[in-house]
Amino acid sequence: MSQHTLTRTVPGMSCQGCVKRMREAIQQQDIDAEVVGSPEEKRLEVTTTLDDAALDQTLHQAGYPPGTAKAPDQKPDPTPDATPANSNSQGSHQKIRLAISGMTCASCVKSVQKALERTEGVETASVNFGTHTAQIFGAADPQALIAAVESVGYGAEPIVDMREAEKTRAEQEARDYKHRLKGSAWSLALAVPLMLSMFVYHPHPMGTGRLFWLVIGLLTLAILAFPGRHFFVNAWKNLKHHQANMDTLVAMGTGTAWLYSMAVVLFAPWLPEVAHGIYFEASAMVIGLILLGNALELKARGRTSDALKRLLDLQSRTARVIRDGEEREVDIDAVREGDQIRVRPGERLPVDGEVVEGASHIDESMLTGEPEPVKKGQDDEVSAGTVNGKGGLVYRATRVGADTRLGQITEQVASAQNSRPPIGELADKVSSVFVPSVMISHAGDRNDSVDYRLPLRARPGHADFHHDWRGQGR
């Protein structure tokens, strides 16, 4: 009995432990069954010889009764209104991946995910901050999904070719890494000497000291306007959409510190001495340290997608196809089932198929881990991504595109990267209230500031700090 793939929605699936128990139950009935579960989408894919009824009964006995069942390899009845299905479609349902731009923290992830989940036709949606991608299941229109993301202040575009999408993302992150690192260096070059000089030279904002602080203020403004510009741009975008994220906190903190300090420099003669605190160094230091953290985060994020990159590198870009007695090289997306493909010695196989001519040894270590090449001859199955040995082969394509074994492995890895464990969901819930909580508590502190700030005059930057520390007035 031949294997086929069945898909089930399992409401009771909450973690990979649930998937393991279902896999063990199914493999007791069919030892060769392949079971892949995605707890985030409550989705189970089973490649097995069991029929629908037997699979449902097995899941019931295991304690995980399925919801609506779908069989992806059953073709819908042709109708006049039928449209070509997506390669990942299941009836009217499909999997859509979007590349998301503009996210800077977990609060952004929550905003994008909520916008996607509110879109008509979406069953489930998950957003991954590490890869800046979103994965959506359902029957939603891709343009509606893009519009939903843009409506909350972020950018989105569909991922058509995963290899090109990964390449584009890697190039963009490399540019951002250099930009953040350079911005951090300029910011800290101003902030660190300025902060250290507070214990040696910290003039009062009067006379020549006023000119000194005016120059420092303009240099700090340059830091905010250039290396730190994206914090203010993103904060303004979020404000227009009635949202707040970490960029909002950074922009408010550094901007307020600069405005207050500049007001002190300009109006020092008319302000009480206790209000002569200057915080330019704080603005520059915050921008510099956060940019440094962003750069390190980008560096670390690139490593998380290395597994997917290596899998994508195994896929050939072209194939040598024999059509109408003529051999031609075509793009891998143009290969169809039933095409005859010639593979020369040392080349990587582009799609799955069955050998019709020739004999060779195939290196299948990328699939099986077996270091010894496997002999292949007529009627033997071969897989995409494996490497041909010294012989030449002609084989008939049986599975192409995402349907190949390599394509399915790549798909599962990409899905795993987009899934989040329960602790990740908890972190998202906490982060969604973190920014508003900080802003509310800050507002409360400002209301009480008169009661506790007046005695605290020994801070560097206050007039009495140098009087008390150095034992003399200005």
Side-chain angles (χ1 to χ4, degrees), residues 64 71 113 183 191 230 438 451:
Y64 296 93
Q113 183 161 333
H230 70 280
V438 171
D451 297 332

Side-chain angles (χ1 to χ4, degrees), residues 301-346:
R301 189 189 301 166
R303 299 192 188 102
T304 64
S305 57
D306 281 348
L308 183 58
K309 289 178 183 176
R310 287 195 293 268
L311 284 172
L312 292 171
D313 287 341
L314 293 175
Q315 297 179 348
S316 300
R317 294 180 177 273
T318 60
R320 195 172 291 103
V321 178
I322 303 173
R323 290 177 182 167
D324 302 324
E326 181 183 347
E327 186 175 309
R328 66 186 75 174
E329 191 164 334
V330 300
D331 188 81
I332 189 66
D333 294 329
V335 179
R336 301 188 296 266
E337 290 185 17
D339 279 343
Q340 289 198 349
I341 300 170
R342 185 182 299 280
V343 182
R344 294 172 180 170

Side-chain angles (χ1 to χ4, degrees), residues 60-75:
H60 273 284
Q61 293 174 350
Y64 296 93
T68 305
K70 307 183 190 79
D73 51 343
Q74 292 179 353
K75 297 182 179 179

Side-chain angles (χ1 to χ4, degrees), residues 349 353-360 362 376-382 392-396:
L349 278 65
E354 188 177 283
V355 178
V356 295
E357 182 183 320
S360 183
I362 303 293
K376 297 291 183 179
Q378 191 169 357
D379 297 332
D380 288 335
E381 288 190 355
V382 291
L393 291 176
V394 175
Y395 71 97
R396 178 175 53 83

Side-chain angles (χ1 to χ4, degrees), residues 370-389:
E370 175 60 49
E372 292 293 328
V374 180
K375 185 177 181 180
K376 297 291 183 179
Q378 191 169 357
D379 297 332
D380 288 335
E381 288 190 355
V382 291
S383 302
T386 57
V387 180
N388 185 27

